[in-house]
Amino acid sequence: MVAYTFSLVTELVLVPILFFLAATLAVAATKPEYAKAKVLLELILATFAAVLVWNSVSSIWSQPDQFFTTDTGRNFVLPILLTVGSIPVFYLLFCYSHVEQARIQIDQKTFQSDELKKYARKRFFLIFPLRPWLLRRATRQFHTLPAKTNADVEQIITDILSYERDEEAPPNVDPRKGWSPFEAREFLREKGLRTNDYHKGDDEYWASSEYVDLDSHVFPNKAAFYIEGQEGVVTMLKLTGKFMDDFDSGEAVQKFRVVGALLCEKAVQNVDIAIDPLIPNSEVFENEMIIDGTKVRAWGERYPSNRGFEVFLTLSR
């Protein structure tokens, strides 16, 4: 399709027009009320694509000897080879940027000795140089635990490598005691609420997801998912929603209920929990029930600033 182009004047006219149509389509896809405009823009762009394909095919058909040449084959293969060949280079640059970022973050801590920070850099960069996701975990643990001795640094490395091995073959967890951290982190993945790695905090193990928007307001209402417990076992699942008085929260609360119902379905299998009575249309409430040994608790409370409210849903064993 790109072997033949239009004239310079035609290209100078078409490119801005197509850019404008594509940008308008991107905006039209953001709101339901623009659905008809979105369909029209897609039809216009699809028509141009069909014309472009027809122009290319007809040009090749009329002059095959000018298309099927060594130069055309070389021009087709070369970008593929360059792209594949550049992957290792870009990955090494990616890893190097994480190493530099980790070095800066480690050096920023003032309460740890220079000798300990030097030892941590040496060990982390030796063990995790080509696995930046593990290097980020090691740096985070070095800060949050916090590490005070060389033995603490070695324990961080051991825990991370052990977690990585367990992730490939998760150990079984007695359902009466809780949930597997590798399963629990995936409960709300389809809603964008997959947690990070289950790691040691100050007093217990935990993991959290990023906040996700529950509506499309300028400052949207949000939700996040947490898992908490002890090493190797999650004893509490927590879904939290943050709602602001400045914006209508009806849509967001309803979506929060949908997410909460999914969490209950995943955590307490084959049990239909009525989510509406559990999370009513109220800003301040508290409900609790026990289902098959799982304590399900939901409550809402106003912010101290009185400018919004927060809703919690927890399941614990």
Side-chain angles (χ1 to χ4, degrees):
M1 289 174 58
V2 299
Y4 290 92
T5 60
F6 298 104
S7 66
L8 177 61
V9 175
T10 305
E11 293 281 350
L12 290 175
V13 173
L14 282 177
V15 169
I17 293 176
L18 291 174
F19 175 80
F20 174 77
L21 290 173
T24 307
L25 176 61
V27 174
T30 60
K31 294 186 177 181
E33 55 264 33
Y34 299 152
K36 293 183 178 180
K38 180 175 179 289
V39 172
L40 176 61
L41 291 168
E42 289 175 338
L43 179 62
I44 294 173
L45 290 173
T47 302
F48 174 78
V51 171
L52 181 61
V53 172
W54 173 254
N55 176 74
S56 300
V57 171
S58 60
S59 299
I60 294 171
W61 183 267
S62 62
Q63 298 175 316
D65 56 320
Q66 294 185 17
F67 178 78
F68 295 103
T69 64
T70 303
D71 288 340
T72 302
R74 185 185 299 113
N75 290 336
F76 177 79
V77 173
L78 183 60
I80 298 175
L81 295 178
L82 289 174
T83 300
V84 173
S86 66
I87 290 175
V89 177
F90 284 120
Y91 186 74
L92 288 175
L93 289 173
F94 176 72
C95 293
Y96 174 75
S97 69
H98 279 76
V99 168
E100 283 297 298
Q101 185 178 8
R103 180 185 61 79
I104 293 172
Q105 290 176 345
I106 291 173
D107 289 344
Q108 283 178 339
K109 290 301 178 181
T110 58
F111 60 84
Q112 290 158 323
S113 67
D114 292 340
E115 291 77 12
L116 180 62
K117 289 187 284 188
K118 181 179 179 181
Y119 183 81
R121 290 195 302 270
K122 181 180 70 174
R123 295 294 293 153
F124 291 166
F125 298 164
L126 177 65
I127 304 297
F128 308 123
L130 299 180
R131 292 179 287 181
W133 62 96
L134 299 185
L135 180 59
R136 288 197 299 268
R137 295 180 192 175
T139 306
R140 177 199 63 203
Q141 293 302 91
F142 183 73
H143 287 168
T144 59
L145 286 180
K148 297 179 181 179
T149 65
N150 290 355
D152 292 335
V153 173
E154 294 299 330
Q155 188 61 49
I156 289 172
I157 295 173
T158 300
D159 290 345
I160 289 175
L161 293 177
S162 176
Y163 183 89
E164 191 76 355
R165 288 191 298 268
D166 289 344
E167 193 169 19
E168 297 177 0
N172 294 325
V173 173
D174 186 347
R176 294 171 299 178
K177 296 181 179 180
W179 299 267
S180 164
F182 303 100
E183 294 179 359
R185 68 180 304 201
E186 305 287 346
F187 281 165
L188 299 179
R189 180 171 188 164
E190 63 188 82
K191 299 298 183 181
L193 289 166
R194 182 177 186 264
T195 73
N196 58 12
D197 60 294
Y198 190 64
H199 58 277
K200 187 177 181 180
D202 292 333
D203 300 319
E204 60 182 3
Y205 282 74
W206 70 287
S208 66
S209 72
E210 299 288 340
Y211 276 97
V212 299
D213 296 343
L214 295 174
D215 49 34
S216 57
H217 294 309
V218 177
F219 296 103
N221 299 299
K222 298 177 178 292
F225 177 49
Y226 302 84
I227 57 178
E228 303 171 359
Q230 305 301 319
E231 183 177 5
V233 58
V234 174
T235 58
M236 177 176 288
L237 312 171
K238 181 192 295 184
L239 179 66
T240 66
K242 296 181 180 295
F243 307 93
M244 302 300 295
D245 288 344
D246 294 339
F247 302 95
D248 181 21
S249 59
E251 176 189 352
V253 171
Q254 181 57 37
K255 189 172 181 179
F256 184 85
R257 289 197 189 98
V258 172
V259 177
L262 177 62
L263 177 60
C264 293
E265 177 185 341
K266 295 282 188 179
V268 188
Q269 298 179 358
N270 302 322
V271 175
D272 186 15
I273 297 178
I275 198 68
D276 288 349
L278 187 63
I279 306 177
N281 288 318
S282 177
E283 297 178 2
V284 180
F285 65 93
E286 185 170 359
N287 294 310
E288 184 177 310
M289 64 178 70
I290 297 178
I291 303 175
D292 291 343
T294 301
K295 181 179 179 181
V296 182
R297 181 169 175 252
W299 72 97
E301 56 188 37
R302 294 287 300 175
Y303 288 136
S305 64
N306 205 36
R307 298 186 61 182
F309 62 99
E310 192 167 10
V311 176
F312 302 87
L313 173 65
T314 64
L315 293 90
S316 57
R317 288 178 178 171

